Amino acid sequence: MEHAQQLFGNLFGPEWGPALFLVAKNVLLIVAIVLPLMLAVAYLTFAERKIIGYMQLRVGPNRVTFFGIPWLGGWGQPIADAVKAVMKEIIIPSGANKFLFVLAPVLTFAPALAAWAVVPFSPEVVLADINAGLLYILAMTSMGVYGVIIAGWASNSKYAFLGAMRSAAQVVSYELAMGFALVCVLMMSHSLNLGDIVRGQQGSSFINWYLIPLFPMFLVYFISGVAETNRAPFDVAEGESEIVAGFHVEYSGMAFTVFFLAEYSNMILVATLASIIFLGGWLPPLDMAPFTLVPGFIWLLLKISFLLFCFLWFRATFPRYRYDQIMRLGWKVFIPITLVWILLIGVVMQFPPSMRNAFPLSLWFH
Amino acid sequence: MLENYFPILLFIFVGLAVGVVPMAFGWMFGPNRPDSEKLSPYECGFEAFEDARMKFDVRYYLVAILFILFDLEIAFLFPWAVVLNEIGLFGFMAMVIFLGILVVGFIYEWTKGALEWD
């Protein structure tokens, strides 16, 4: 590290050297997050097709392989898909607003990536350890809806327009429930910093995780996450049978792929946040020998993988909701539940210290 | 303190770049043979009847307005929730009154049918 710093100092002088070194170091760290993430996205699509395939008694993709190795059958599929997408024509409809049409996928994708800046992977491993972490994540995930609505508007196609309207209304509705659920978490953690939220769940076992006292909030958060990423069973925004593909019906080739990447990185982000906020992040389920030997990062990865599996499981299991049912669930079920739970947690926090420090409550209220 | 936010700024730029670069690749490697049929908006085989930017249901607009109200409420709740253990009963009761007024509004819009979609 010091050598590199000196090299930059020698190359660019004392004024520009440290600044450029800071930029180079951070860009390297960002790449170290983005590259595995993109790989995870690629193989999440493969996992999705494989898992849903087996759930429907099919095999799923099993042909494309690396170097003709037979037992790797299917593992080359995401790479082949990416190559295919690059070779496809990007069609910009003549009636479209060209600048906005090209801007929309980027606007969907950039916030989905940028939110990863504050995610803590292990106790000390976090790119930007800021105190407003959760606020920043909420801001970034809210930005995604702009891409959707701009795409629907710029396409100048009826299906795209309807899909964008639906999607935007749905996403903002569920964002409310999500925000209220996060308020409950903040009341218990006293901090917006994601690392501090995980440390607040430290204890002897998984009983200390916020999953237990905030179980309804976990469900609200996760289901809202499924709805916010427009995944089945809440995927009316792209309901094939009604509006073909929704807001990205006019997109093709790589422009479509960027939307696709954004959706999947948002899925991983929702699963990661749910693991960090409710499932104790990098903490092992039991704080004793065999479990603590496994690095925290692996625990986080396992929790994320399980929640992602749930995403795919939901898609294979549940029939699609009707649009009015989706809006009813968001506004008339989730928001009242979260409001009541905020009140409940608030009341418990007003208990006298002697009661709060008694056995069950002392596990979670510090 | 502020230098902690610098990686975030960089990350946003990298995110934009990671969005732009694949599209640039697609532009370079993909074919580009437009024709009038290909460039017309998709409408299940029909000619497009009219401009797609048509009138839409007012309920979407209503949802947007309600969203702003409630999102603002969340913005108020966030700092309150972080310091709730320090502001004690007084802070709690203040927010309960605030939430109570909002719940009255929520019940009103519920009974008025602003949340109905059929």
Side-chain angles (χ1 to χ4, degrees):
Chain A
M1 252 339 188
E2 270 113 47
H3 286 296
Q5 199 164 8
Q6 273 187 350
L7 185 69
F8 269 83
N10 293 340
L11 277 178
F12 302 105
E15 264 180 59
W16 287 95
L20 282 170
F21 171 73
L22 198 66
V23 171
K25 190 186 89 176
N26 280 309
V27 166
L28 271 181
L29 290 175
I30 289 168
V31 169
I33 295 175
V34 169
L35 268 189
L37 184 65
M38 288 297 101
L39 211 62
V41 166
Y43 278 92
L44 181 59
T45 65
F46 177 58
E48 175 169 36
R49 296 168 71 179
K50 257 325 208 198
I51 289 170
I52 294 181
Y54 280 117
M55 282 180 176
Q56 297 168 344
L57 300 181
R58 300 181 282 114
V59 183
N62 66 344
R63 295 301 166 97
V64 188
T65 172
F66 292 110
F67 314 113
I69 304 171
W71 51 268
L72 277 178
W75 284 86
Q77 189 70 44
I79 313 294
D81 283 341
V83 172
K84 184 193 79 175
V86 170
M87 308 301 272
K88 293 287 177 188
E89 179 173 356
I90 296 179
I91 301 166
I92 301 183
S94 50
N97 185 329
K98 293 202 172 43
F99 174 67
L100 290 180
F101 190 83
V102 177
L103 183 71
V106 181
L107 263 191
T108 323
F109 188 51
L113 270 191
W116 283 87
V118 294
V119 170
F121 297 100
S122 314
E124 300 304 323
V125 185
V126 48
L127 179 66
D129 193 14
I130 61 171
N131 282 332
L134 206 57
L135 198 62
Y136 169 75
I137 289 216
L138 209 64
M140 279 296 143
T141 47
S142 313
M143 290 287 289
V145 72
Y146 283 105
V148 170
I149 206 145
I150 287 175
W153 175 261
S155 299
N156 202 359
S157 155
K158 280 172 198 146
Y159 291 113
F161 185 66
L162 288 173
M165 296 306 290
R166 285 184 179 193
S167 177
Q170 175 187 335
V171 168
V172 297
S173 301
Y174 278 90
E175 205 169 283
L176 294 179
M178 206 177 222
F180 279 126
L182 292 181
V183 168
C184 285
V185 175
L186 294 181
M187 289 164 83
M188 304 195 61
S189 67
H190 319 309
S191 173
L192 282 158
N193 185 313
L194 288 172
D196 286 347
I197 291 177
V198 175
R199 278 183 277 272
Q201 303 174 60
Q202 213 144 25
S204 57
S205 68
F206 63 90
I207 303 285
N208 292 77
W209 297 352
Y210 291 152
L211 176 72
I212 311 291
L214 298 177
F215 185 68
M217 295 303 100
F218 170 69
L219 292 184
V220 166
Y221 180 84
F222 194 58
I223 296 173
S224 301
V226 176
E228 258 207 279
T229 47
N230 287 322
R231 295 283 306 173
F234 303 108
D235 58 346
V236 285
E238 45 194 89
E240 302 94 320
S241 49
E242 309 156 30
I243 47 173
V244 200
F247 61 88
H248 53 57
V249 65
E250 298 290 349
Y251 284 83
S252 62
M254 222 47 199
F256 166 74
T257 311
V258 172
F259 270 124
F260 197 72
L261 292 177
E263 180 182 329
Y264 279 78
S265 36
N266 266 327
M267 270 168 73
I268 302 181
L269 184 68
V270 166
T272 309
L273 287 178
S275 318
I276 287 174
I277 294 169
F278 294 102
L279 302 181
W282 63 75
L283 300 172
L286 286 174
D287 201 19
M288 49 202 245
F291 297 103
T292 44
L293 294 180
V294 180
F297 180 64
I298 304 289
W299 283 118
L300 182 62
L301 219 57
L302 283 175
K303 290 164 186 171
I304 297 171
S305 309
F306 171 71
L307 291 179
L308 283 175
F309 177 75
C310 288
F311 264 99
L312 310 182
W313 197 0
F314 293 164
R315 182 170 168 194
T317 308
F318 297 124
R320 182 176 291 140
Y321 266 52
R322 231 170 40 220
Y323 196 68
D324 63 313
Q325 292 172 326
I326 292 182
M327 296 308 262
R328 194 182 63 208
L329 183 69
W331 284 94
K332 296 188 173 175
V333 179
F334 282 179
I335 291 181
I337 289 180
T338 47
L339 283 173
V340 167
W341 215 261
I342 288 176
L343 211 59
L344 200 71
I345 300 284
V347 167
V348 172
M349 286 182 70
Q350 301 310 316
F351 282 179
S354 58
M355 266 171 88
R356 253 189 308 154
N357 295 334
F359 165 61
L361 294 181
S362 61
L363 286 172
W364 310 298
F365 293 92
H366 304 298
Chain B
M1 192 55 236
L2 211 56
E3 69 265 13
N4 280 346
Y5 288 83
F6 178 66
I8 288 178
L9 185 69
L10 267 181
F11 213 129
I12 292 172
F13 284 127
V14 171
L16 289 173
V18 176
V20 169
V21 167
M23 288 190 15
F25 273 139
W27 202 260
M28 278 193 292
F29 295 114
N32 192 10
R33 288 186 290 273
D35 61 58
S36 67
E37 286 304 312
K38 200 191 265 179
L39 294 186
S40 64
Y42 174 70
E43 203 146 314
C44 278
F46 289 106
E47 298 286 326
F49 287 131
E50 56 191 354
D51 196 55
R53 281 128 193 200
M54 52 197 175
K55 285 177 263 185
F56 58 87
D57 201 325
V58 72
R59 277 178 296 195
Y60 290 111
Y61 190 67
L62 210 55
V63 164
I65 289 187
L66 291 179
F67 165 71
I68 292 176
L69 289 179
F70 277 88
D71 214 34
L72 208 59
E73 190 184 342
I74 291 173
F76 285 138
L77 279 171
F78 258 48
W80 168 80
V82 172
V83 294
L84 182 60
N85 61 328
E86 290 161 30
I87 54 179
L89 191 63
F90 174 73
F92 178 64
M93 287 319 290
M95 193 48 96
V96 167
I97 293 167
F98 175 67
L99 274 182
I101 295 170
L102 263 150
V103 166
V104 170
F106 187 60
I107 293 169
Y108 176 73
E109 80 200 24
W110 189 323
T111 52
K112 276 285 174 185
L115 307 175
E116 303 295 333
W117 277 84
D118 40 28

